[in-house]
Amino acid sequence: MSEQKLYMPSQTFIENAEIKDYQSLYDYSIENREEFWNTEAQKLQWVTPYNAVFDYSEKPFFQWFKGGKTNIVLNAIDRHLHTSCLNKLAIIWEGEPGDVRTLSYHALNREVSKFANILKAMGVRKGDIVTIYMPQIPELPIAMLACAKIGAAHSVVYGGFSVEALAARIDDAKSRVLLTADGGWRRGKITDLKSIANEAMRRSPTIEVCITVKRTGHEVEMENDRDFWYHDLSALPIASAKCETEVMDSEDMLFILYTSGTTGKPKGLVHTHGGYSVYTSTTHRYIFDIKDQDRYWCAADPGWITGHSYLVYGPLINGTTIMMYEGAPNHPYPNRWWQMIEKYGVTILYTSPTAIRGLMRFGDNWVKRHDLSTLRLLGSVGEPINPEAWRWYHSIVGGGRCPIVDTWWQTETGGCMIAPLPTTPLKPGSASKPFFGNVVKVVDDGGNDVEANEEGKLVITHPSPGMARTILGDPERWAQTYWSEFAEKGYYSAGDSARIDEDGYIWIIGRLDDVIKVSGYRLGTAEVESALVSHSAVAEAAAIALPHELKGNAIHCFVLLKQGKTGSRELEDELKNHVAKEIGPIAKPDSIAFVDSLPKTRSGKIMRRVLKARAQGLDVGDISTLEE
Ligand code: PRX
């Protein structure tokens, strides 16, 4: 339930904030949406000016800054080289074993240019899609920026994903080039990325060139003619540190990012150079109230949208110093993050409720022994934050002085859609108010606004510049999934349920579809099910999410075995490990129950709702469509 107490920003915070009056700028941005975005877009560099801010002649396919020519790298790196930003740190990186690397904007430009020239020498051209599968090392953002610089799109696959997830994404994007690393460090152990990449390449044969960054130095299998070490290539004359940035159309593809939906096939959401540059930099600057001297740490992995928008692109466009860390938050001890905040003087921390809950359980003393006085702002993203974790984050980590920006958004929206500004009075657990230019509503099945505090479907009434443009190779699915339910009104369906209270504060309740959030990571029940049925003993499977204190949700599965197979403890473990091996450790089910039948509708659809209600001991509701 909502808490009554309002947390007010300090007077100093308000005095120093760029935007002091949310409401009047918000009202202006809704009444003058195109002018608002035009003003923001003018803060960026364009090679050729756009001739229309917004074009919606082919609904639901929209364009922003049509006709404009730019490149996100022009704004994230190139223009900083002509300002005092040149010598500023762009990246402070710490590896899990404690090794440190720092790159100024000058150095980042050299590294990106080198990587870009290597890609060109390997035949990568404008419009190609390069798959990147790396741990959290500086080469990951460098590789992303290198692709963008030469006009190739990147498809980053989270380093915690495994063989099948990687293979399916390579296949869908038809990538010819894969960029990876031998491994990364996690809890003192090596994650063997190259072996997973090798197996994925056997399953999806489109890859002709694989470039591997040496990180851990353990022995890996390299194949002649296909595999190259990055350090070998970068020592060749082809790897010059000078590279022209390709001029791109505003609507040209910048990257693909796969995300889970209701079917087993992940969707490759397409994001573009122009609108995404404008949206990520604007939201980053205003929501985090970015100052030149900030040391900003977004603790998300670049393999997810949060990493793309708020670790890499938004902050670099704003010339911010970003902090990056390779490993686990509690390695070797639960004070690792606090130690780094103290050591590097981090001013802003942006992380997930799962990470906060995970660190909270070790107690206050691990935090309190560090001087965290440099922190001035905190952020949360990915799942609803429970008021208890919010208050701990606020009082223990933030010393009671740091506003918390709880940001709601999605891979599809590219940037934060609902968030407080740091000057907004806060209610723990609410993502507060819509960002400029967005109208957010909670509606019933007919698309009508529900009453205050009533639960309904979360919709956004108008396309925003940072939203994806389509699903790679499947525009029909884009229109169908997000724009068809309330087509008459032109609303975007977010797939979340929510309520809006009497003060206009938005409270997110959770997903309405078969998407689940486990530790803030987004998975589809269908992906877990298809991993289970790929095991030789399994005939059918159903996966559901149940509330979990730490992870937000945990995955529970129901499995119907093939004839002649019997369930056992050993088989349960084998199936759990099988899912982890196919998708990744994050998808490992918490429990597997062997059943004789699964509840289905007469048309054969598994009724997960019934399984979920039964598992929670709740009323199963309307089961009139249930097959006998
Ligand atoms: O259910 C919402 C939840 O995460 C979903 C989007 O997941 P993904 O595409 O992985 O992007 C996550 C990072 C932007 C949403 O549909 N979600 C995200 N942020 C919040 C949230 N739920 C509650 N509060 C949030 N702040």
Side-chain angles (χ1 to χ4, degrees), residues 156 351 484:
V156 180
T351 186
S484 68

Side-chain angles (χ1 to χ4, degrees), residues 440-456:
V440 175
K441 289 176 179 256
V442 173
V443 298
D444 62 18
D445 290 343
N448 307 305
D449 295 22
V450 300
E451 297 290 314
N453 285 313
E454 214 176 284
E455 192 175 332

Side-chain angles (χ1 to χ4, degrees), residues 390-416:
W390 194 100
R391 281 190 294 267
W392 185 80
Y393 197 29
H394 188 260
S395 67
I396 305 299
V397 179
R401 73 185 175 276
C402 307
I404 298 179
V405 291
D406 176 356
T407 62
W408 177 91
W409 57 294
Q410 310 175 299
T411 309
E412 290 85 346
T413 68
C416 303

Side-chain angles (χ1 to χ4, degrees), residues 259 304-306 380-385 406-412 431 494 496 508 510-511 517 520 522:
T259 194
W304 299 87
I305 192 68
T306 308
S380 172
V381 62
E383 44 178 330
I385 179 163
D406 176 356
T407 62
W408 177 91
W409 57 294
Q410 310 175 299
T411 309
E412 290 85 346
D496 277 20
I508 308 295
R511 293 292 307 183
K517 293 259 95 182
R522 178 164 164 181

Side-chain angles (χ1 to χ4, degrees), residues 182-248:
D182 53 354
W185 292 103
R186 186 90 192 164
R187 286 206 177 79
K189 291 203 188 92
I190 289 174
T191 49
D192 200 354
L193 295 195
K194 180 65 171 128
S195 301
I196 294 172
N198 285 347
E199 202 174 327
M201 284 190 280
R202 277 191 280 278
R203 290 191 202 179
S204 52
T206 58
I207 301 292
E208 292 166 22
V209 172
C210 175
I211 302 174
T212 305
V213 173
K214 187 173 262 186
R215 164 68 185 134
T216 51
H218 71 292
E219 184 124 0
V220 295
E221 200 187 301
M222 302 284 277
E223 210 170 84
N224 274 345
D225 303 333
R226 184 194 69 190
D227 282 323
F228 300 86
W229 284 107
Y230 181 70
H231 59 266
D232 287 342
L233 296 174
S234 62
L236 299 175
I238 51 164
S240 135
K242 275 204 164 65
C243 177
E244 280 293 313
T245 300
E246 189 77 34
V247 175
M248 304 298 283

Side-chain angles (χ1 to χ4, degrees), residues 110-124:
R110 288 180 58 85
E111 292 303 320
V112 169
S113 298
K114 279 169 90 165
F115 213 133
N117 281 321
I118 290 171
L119 292 176
K120 275 195 194 170
M122 289 293 168
V124 177

Side-chain angles (χ1 to χ4, degrees), residues 130-431:
V130 174
T131 299
I132 305 177
Y133 180 60
M134 284 197 198
Q136 280 207 62
I137 53 176
E139 283 79 4
L140 175 45
I142 289 168
M144 291 163 72
L145 291 156
C147 289
K149 189 174 174 72
I150 61 169
H154 52 73
S155 163
V156 180
V157 179
Y158 168 55
F161 272 137
S162 198
V163 184
E164 187 47 37
L166 176 59
R169 285 158 176 75
I170 291 174
D171 234 16
D172 189 77
K174 299 184 188 62
S175 281
R176 203 178 60 79
V177 174
L178 174 66
L179 310 176
T180 188
D182 53 354
W185 292 103
R186 186 90 192 164
R187 286 206 177 79
K189 291 203 188 92
I190 289 174
T191 49
D192 200 354
L193 295 195
K194 180 65 171 128
S195 301
I196 294 172
N198 285 347
E199 202 174 327
M201 284 190 280
R202 277 191 280 278
R203 290 191 202 179
S204 52
T206 58
I207 301 292
E208 292 166 22
V209 172
C210 175
I211 302 174
T212 305
V213 173
K214 187 173 262 186
R215 164 68 185 134
T216 51
H218 71 292
E219 184 124 0
V220 295
E221 200 187 301
M222 302 284 277
E223 210 170 84
N224 274 345
D225 303 333
R226 184 194 69 190
D227 282 323
F228 300 86
W229 284 107
Y230 181 70
H231 59 266
D232 287 342
L233 296 174
S234 62
L236 299 175
I238 51 164
S240 135
K242 275 204 164 65
C243 177
E244 280 293 313
T245 300
E246 189 77 34
V247 175
M248 304 298 283
D249 195 275
S250 179
E251 285 292 320
D252 276 340
M253 182 158 74
L254 166 63
F255 66 83
I256 313 293
L257 191 60
Y258 285 89
T259 194
S260 303
T262 42
T263 71
K265 191 177 182 304
K267 304 176 266 203
L269 290 156
V270 175
H271 286 276
T272 56
H273 277 264
Y276 180 83
S277 297
V278 175
Y279 200 78
T280 54
S281 56
T282 307
T283 45
H284 179 254
R285 200 172 63 249
Y286 289 153
I287 296 171
F288 296 96
D289 188 43
I290 293 300
K291 309 279 185 226
D292 190 38
Q293 62 276 23
D294 271 320
R295 289 193 159 188
Y296 163 89
W297 183 11
C298 165
D301 190 290
W304 299 87
I305 192 68
T306 308
H308 279 58
S309 304
Y310 297 111
L311 195 164
V312 183
Y313 289 118
L316 292 180
I317 295 174
N318 289 331
T320 309
T321 298
I322 63 173
M323 160 85 207
M324 224 180 133
Y325 165 60
E326 178 186 31
N330 56 348
H331 186 86
Y333 300 106
N335 64 335
R336 183 65 188 263
W337 275 19
W338 321 127
Q339 209 174 31
M340 284 188 293
I341 290 172
E342 180 173 2
K343 177 173 169 194
Y344 300 107
V346 171
T347 56
I348 301 173
L349 174 67
Y350 186 33
T351 186
S352 67
T354 291
I356 299 161
R357 287 191 293 265
L359 291 165
M360 183 169 97
R361 97 194 129 118
F362 296 112
D364 301 357
N365 286 342
W366 287 104
V367 191
K368 286 185 172 161
R369 68 158 89 152
H370 294 280
D371 175 7
L372 305 186
S373 59
T374 53
L375 280 177
R376 62 181 196 89
L377 183 71
L378 301 170
S380 172
V381 62
E383 44 178 330
I385 179 163
N386 47 312
E388 195 196 351
W390 194 100
R391 281 190 294 267
W392 185 80
Y393 197 29
H394 188 260
S395 67
I396 305 299
V397 179
R401 73 185 175 276
C402 307
I404 298 179
V405 291
D406 176 356
T407 62
W408 177 91
W409 57 294
Q410 310 175 299
T411 309
E412 290 85 346
T413 68
C416 303
M417 302 301 281
I418 308 172
L421 292 189
T423 50
T424 308
L426 301 170
K427 299 188 183 189
S430 167

